[in-house]
Amino acid sequence: MKKFCAILRKRSSEHVTAFQRVTDLPGIMVSILRQELDSMIRVIFLLKISDMEERQRLVTQTLSGQAWTKLTKKGKNKKITDRDMVEISNELQGWTESVYKFGCSFIHLSNFHNYSEDNPFELLSYEEKVAIIQHMRHYHGGPYSDTPDFEEFAFYFPDILRKITGNLEYYIEELESGKILGTS
């Protein structure tokens, strides 16, 4: 567990450093946000597992370069997907699904990369737009517009990274302490 947490912290530290170097590349900034969020949803997923042996098994899979798996009712190994982890994290955070999906559009080649010509925010569903704007206004004080352009969004990216990084560190500490989310 100690090695796993050290890897998480190293990755997070690199994200912070990279973010400072790409302030004029908002598409790359979103990709970094998405990667930091990926670490956080994995830690939250682990924290929801009360069986410490199962938790350790998943950590060992990471350290040995394997994908996370779980046993099905039929006794077969099934890959644990990002969707599985995002759904659990979204129950706790309420915003991770929208942000994760938005970030994936910048990890994978998509029409979102044309952000200098077309506002990627306009490509989202109404529900996704509302969820993202409500979250950003609550935690980051904006955007002011109901239809922000990408430049207005990019203004908040450093603050968003600080928030995710802070949450990630909190959850890593909980993981190191052997805590289980959802219990007192």
Side-chain angles (χ1 to χ4, degrees):
M1 190 62 68
K2 184 176 180 180
K3 186 174 183 179
F4 179 77
C5 291
I7 291 169
L8 288 165
R9 286 188 174 105
K10 173 69 174 156
R11 183 183 194 202
S12 184
S13 174
E14 286 183 3
H15 290 154
V16 170
T17 300
F19 221 72
Q20 294 165 350
R21 294 179 183 171
V22 297
T23 57
D24 59 337
L25 302 170
I28 300 300
M29 293 171 82
V30 174
S31 297
I32 294 168
L33 288 171
R34 168 29 185 89
Q35 290 175 61
E36 189 76 350
L37 187 58
D38 179 75
S39 293
M40 191 177 85
I41 65 162
R42 289 174 188 284
V43 173
I44 290 171
F45 186 84
L46 289 171
L47 285 168
K48 295 290 270 183
I49 297 171
S50 59
D51 179 345
M52 294 301 160
E53 287 182 20
E54 175 63 7
R55 192 184 278 189
Q56 186 60 50
R57 185 184 71 79
L58 294 173
V59 166
T60 300
Q61 283 184 314
T62 297
L63 297 177
S64 63
Q66 299 172 20
W68 285 2
T69 59
K70 62 182 174 185
L71 279 177
T72 65
K73 291 178 182 177
K74 295 182 179 182
K76 298 195 181 216
N77 275 327
K78 178 185 180 270
K79 183 180 176 195
I80 297 171
T81 65
D82 286 357
R83 165 128 322 272
D84 296 331
M85 291 181 278
V86 168
E87 286 175 3
I88 286 175
S89 179
N90 201 57
E91 290 171 13
L92 179 67
Q93 296 288 343
W95 53 265
T96 50
E97 186 170 9
S98 298
V99 175
Y100 195 85
K101 184 176 176 184
F102 189 73
C104 283
S105 299
F106 287 91
I107 294 284
H108 308 292
L109 182 61
S110 73
N111 54 343
F112 281 47
H113 286 95
N114 196 28
Y115 57 82
S116 59
E117 302 293 322
D118 297 313
N119 183 357
F121 188 69
E122 292 302 317
L123 302 172
L124 301 174
S125 72
Y126 174 77
E127 292 79 16
E128 290 168 324
K129 289 177 193 178
V130 168
I132 289 172
I133 286 182
Q134 283 178 345
H135 171 77
M136 287 186 65
R137 286 178 179 160
H138 180 75
Y139 288 102
H140 308 291
Y144 300 108
S145 169
D146 288 338
T147 55
D149 62 19
F150 198 63
E151 187 177 325
E152 186 175 356
F153 264 121
F155 174 79
Y156 296 96
F157 292 166
D159 196 39
I160 293 168
L161 180 67
R162 277 188 294 279
K163 183 74 171 167
I164 295 172
T165 300
N167 286 342
L168 174 59
E169 180 56 33
Y170 169 80
Y171 291 130
I172 291 171
E173 289 171 6
E174 295 284 288
L175 191 62
E176 289 173 322
S177 300
K179 299 273 174 74
I180 301 166
L181 286 181
T183 61
S184 341

